[in-house]
Amino acid sequence: MATRDDETPGTNTTHYWREYPVGFGGELARVFVRTLIPFGVALLLTFALILVIGIVNEENLISEALYGVLSAEARDAISTGLDYLFRMSMLPLLIVGYLVGLGSCVALCARDVTASTALATAAKSGASQSAVPHPRQVESVIKERFWPIWIFLVISTSCLLFVAILLVIFSLAEGFPEGLLVALGLVVAAAIFGLCFYVVHRELPAKHAARRAIIAAHWTFDHESSAWTAARASEKESVGSTARDPRLKRGRRILKRSSAFGGVAVVLLYAVMMITHPYARGGGDPDAGPRVTYPDAIETMLAAAMWIMLGLVALAVAGAIVGQFVEGLGRQAEMASLRDALADPNSPRPGTQLLADYANRRSVGLAQTLAMLSGIGIVLGPSALLLGLFRSDNFRGGLELFTSFRPAAIITTVVAILLFVAALLWNAARSRGDAELRNELIRRWPTLPTDTTDSDDKVVPARVGPALQEPRSVRDDRL
C-alpha cells in the first residue's frame, strides 16, 4: 500500500503519531471514567457524612445544640428526620456505588473496542502509513482480555447465584413462596450476566484480535519504530519558556472552593428545611404537613437562614462559573500561544507540562463540579423520596415526616441526573473539539509516555516502543 510522505515540522522523519477519531460514543467512553472521579468523591463524602450524623445523633448532640431554641417535639423531629435521611441513604449509596463500578468497567471495555474499531476502519480506508496510531490507542488495540468487566461479571454472577440459593433454602424452610419468586428473578439476572460474560470472554477478544491483525498489517513494525525514533529525537530539542498563564491557578482555586462550598450549602439547605417542616400528615398528600410556627425571634432567624442558604447555593454556582471562566481565559491564551508556535517552524519546544496538558484529553473544571454536585443529590434525593413513599417499621414515623418533601426529593433526583449527563456531554464535546490541536502538538512535539507500567507495576509494551507486531511469547517474557 502506498505511503504519503508528509514531512513533520521540526523533525527529519516522515513518520509521526496521530490520534485517530473514535466517534462520539468512543469519546463518551473515554470521558465517562474521568467524570466519575468527582462523582465518586461525592459518594465517599456522603458516606462519611452518614457516619458523622449517626455518631452525632447517637450522642444526642443535635438535640442538645437546639436546646432552648426549639421545642422538645421539634428537636426530636429534626434529630429523627436527619437520622432517617442518612440511614436510608445507605441503600441508594450501595446501588449507585454498584452502578458506578459497572459503568466504569463497561466504559473501559468500550474505550478499547472503539479504539481498535476506529483504527481498523482507518486502515481499511487507506490511512497514511506515515501517521502511526498514538501509543494511547495502540495500548487499547493490544489488549487481549477485558479484565475489569470480565472480573466484575464473574463476581456479580456468583453473588447473584449464591443469594438465590440461600433465598430458596430460606423460603422452603419458612414457607415463604414470595421468596421463591425473588430467587427466580435473581437466577434470571445471573443468566443475563453469564451471557454477558460469555460475550466478553469469547466473542470480544476474538474480534478484537482480528481488528489488531488488520491494524498491524497496515502499520508495520518499521512504521511504529520510525515514529518512536522521531518522538525520542523531539524530546531532546531545546525547551522554551515553561511559564503557565496565572489565570489557570487562580481559576482552579476559585473552582475548588466553590465545589466544596456548594456541597456543604446543599446539605445545610436540607437541614434548614427540616427545621421549618419537621412534621407531615400521612395519606399520600404531597402538600400535607403544616409549616411549624415558632416564636417571632426564631421565625426571623429561620427566614434569614433560608435566604442565606439559597444565596450560598447561588454563590457556589456563580463561583464555579467564574472560576471556569477565569481558567478558560487562561487556557484560551495558552492555546493561542501554542497555535502561534505551531505556525513558526523555528519555535522552540514548549514546556513539558504545557504539552502534556494540551496533547492529552482533559476534563472541563465546571463539568467536574457539576458531576460532584450530582453525586450528592443522587443519594439524598432518592433517600428522602423513599422515606416519603413507603412506611417501614425501621423508620417509624418516617412517612409522616417526609411526605411533604416528596416534590423536592423528585426535583433533586432529576436535577442530579441531568447534572451528571450535562457534565459527561460537556467533557466529551470538549475532548472532540480539541482533537485537531492535540494531533498538531503530537505531530510537531511528540511526548514519550511517562507512566510505563500499569497498576500492577508491569511494563505496558505500547508505552515503551512498537507493540502492534509483538507476539504474545515475547511480550510475556518481557512482562
Side-chain angles (χ1 to χ4, degrees):
M1 187 174 292
T3 63
R4 188 178 66 217
D5 296 332
D6 300 325
E7 289 294 336
T8 305
T11 68
N12 57 0
T13 181
T14 59
H15 292 82
Y16 54 92
W17 286 331
R18 172 178 170 77
E19 180 187 285
Y20 284 85
V22 293
F24 195 71
E27 292 293 349
L28 281 178
R30 281 155 181 77
V31 303
F32 187 79
V33 176
R34 292 204 304 274
T35 307
L36 280 179
I37 293 176
F39 185 87
V41 170
L43 296 183
L44 291 176
L45 291 176
T46 304
F47 178 70
L49 191 59
I50 292 172
L51 297 179
V52 170
I53 292 295
I55 295 173
V56 169
N57 190 69
E58 188 71 21
E59 298 296 328
N60 292 322
L61 295 180
I62 297 177
S63 296
E64 292 178 3
L66 297 175
Y67 183 80
V69 179
L70 303 177
S71 65
E73 290 182 327
R75 293 199 308 270
D76 290 341
I78 293 169
S79 178
T80 302
L82 290 175
D83 178 52
Y84 284 3
L85 177 63
F86 285 99
R87 278 205 290 130
M88 178 59 79
S89 296
M90 286 300 299
L91 178 60
L93 192 61
L94 291 173
I95 295 175
V96 174
Y98 179 84
L99 293 178
V100 165
L102 177 60
S104 299
C105 293
V106 171
L108 291 173
C109 179
R111 179 196 63 186
D112 297 334
V113 170
T114 54
S116 67
T117 301
L119 292 180
T121 301
K124 292 178 182 178
S125 301
S128 172
Q129 291 175 300
S130 299
V132 180
H134 192 275
R136 285 193 299 266
Q137 294 186 317
V138 173
E139 183 178 345
S140 291
V141 171
I142 66 174
K143 294 285 181 65
E144 295 180 348
R145 293 292 177 200
F146 304 97
W147 290 114
I149 186 64
W150 191 91
I151 296 173
F152 192 91
L153 289 173
V154 169
I155 294 175
S156 297
T157 303
S158 302
C159 289
L160 287 171
L161 289 176
F162 179 72
V163 174
I165 292 173
L166 292 180
L167 194 56
V168 168
I169 295 174
F170 173 80
S171 300
L172 292 177
E174 300 294 330
F176 182 57
E178 292 83 358
L180 295 177
L181 293 177
V182 176
L184 178 61
L186 293 177
V187 171
V188 172
I192 295 175
F193 276 94
L195 179 61
C196 293
F197 170 76
Y198 174 81
V199 173
V200 171
H201 181 64
R202 298 297 298 269
E203 299 295 328
L204 283 185
K207 294 180 180 179
H208 201 64
R211 290 192 293 267
R212 175 183 177 175
I214 295 173
I215 297 166
H218 187 74
W219 287 289
T220 65
F221 178 86
D222 291 337
H223 296 138
E224 277 196 282
S225 182
S226 296
W228 274 92
T229 300
R232 293 188 176 101
S234 177
E235 287 232 328
K236 297 178 181 179
E237 296 179 11
S238 59
V239 178
S241 174
T242 59
R244 302 296 301 270
D245 194 293
R247 286 172 291 190
L248 266 68
K249 185 176 181 180
R250 193 177 305 126
R252 289 168 182 167
R253 189 185 303 118
I254 297 173
L255 201 59
K256 289 179 180 179
R257 292 177 179 176
S258 299
S259 300
F261 190 66
V264 173
V266 170
V267 174
L268 291 179
L269 183 59
Y270 264 90
V272 173
M273 292 174 64
M274 290 295 297
I275 295 175
T276 57
H277 294 79
Y279 300 107
R281 297 191 306 269
D285 183 4
D287 297 323
R291 163 70 155 82
V292 172
T293 302
Y294 299 100
D296 292 342
I298 297 179
E299 283 294 328
T300 302
M301 293 173 57
L302 289 175
M306 180 64 75
W307 284 107
I308 289 173
M309 289 301 102
L310 291 174
L312 291 178
V313 173
L315 285 175
V317 175
I321 294 174
V322 170
Q324 175 63 23
F325 179 74
V326 172
E327 183 181 354
L329 291 177
R331 288 197 174 278
Q332 290 296 328
E334 288 188 339
M335 291 172 69
S337 66
L338 286 173
R339 289 192 173 94
D340 290 340
L342 287 168
D344 182 4
N346 299 317
S347 177
R349 182 184 177 90
T352 302
Q353 185 59 44
L354 184 64
L355 279 179
D357 206 2
Y358 291 95
N360 294 290
R361 288 178 171 85
R362 54 190 174 85
S363 302
V364 182
L366 185 55
Q368 301 299 80
T369 302
L370 297 180
M372 178 174 285
L373 292 175
S374 71
I376 298 173
I378 213 164
V379 172
L380 295 182
S383 301
L385 183 60
L386 288 173
L387 287 168
L389 287 176
F390 303 104
R391 192 182 302 277
S392 171
D393 292 337
N394 295 321
F395 301 94
R396 293 183 182 278
L399 179 62
E400 292 75 16
L401 196 61
F402 282 88
T403 298
S404 61
F405 289 100
R406 288 192 309 206
I410 294 174
I411 293 174
T412 299
T413 304
V414 172
V415 170
I417 295 173
L418 292 178
L419 286 178
F420 183 81
V421 173
L424 186 63
L425 295 178
W426 194 349
N427 280 329
R430 169 61 63 83
S431 184
R432 290 192 73 184
D434 292 344
E436 182 179 353
L437 177 61
R438 286 200 304 271
N439 271 325
E440 291 178 2
L441 293 173
I442 291 170
R443 181 174 180 179
R444 175 74 178 274
W445 296 297
T447 302
L448 296 174
T450 54
D451 297 327
T452 57
T453 58
D454 58 16
S455 58
D456 296 326
D457 203 29
K458 294 183 179 180
V459 175
V460 180
R463 302 181 191 177
V464 297
L468 286 173
Q469 306 291 331
E470 194 171 25
R472 177 186 295 185
S473 59
V474 174
R475 183 164 58 256
D476 289 345
D477 289 341
R478 185 161 71 180
L479 296 180

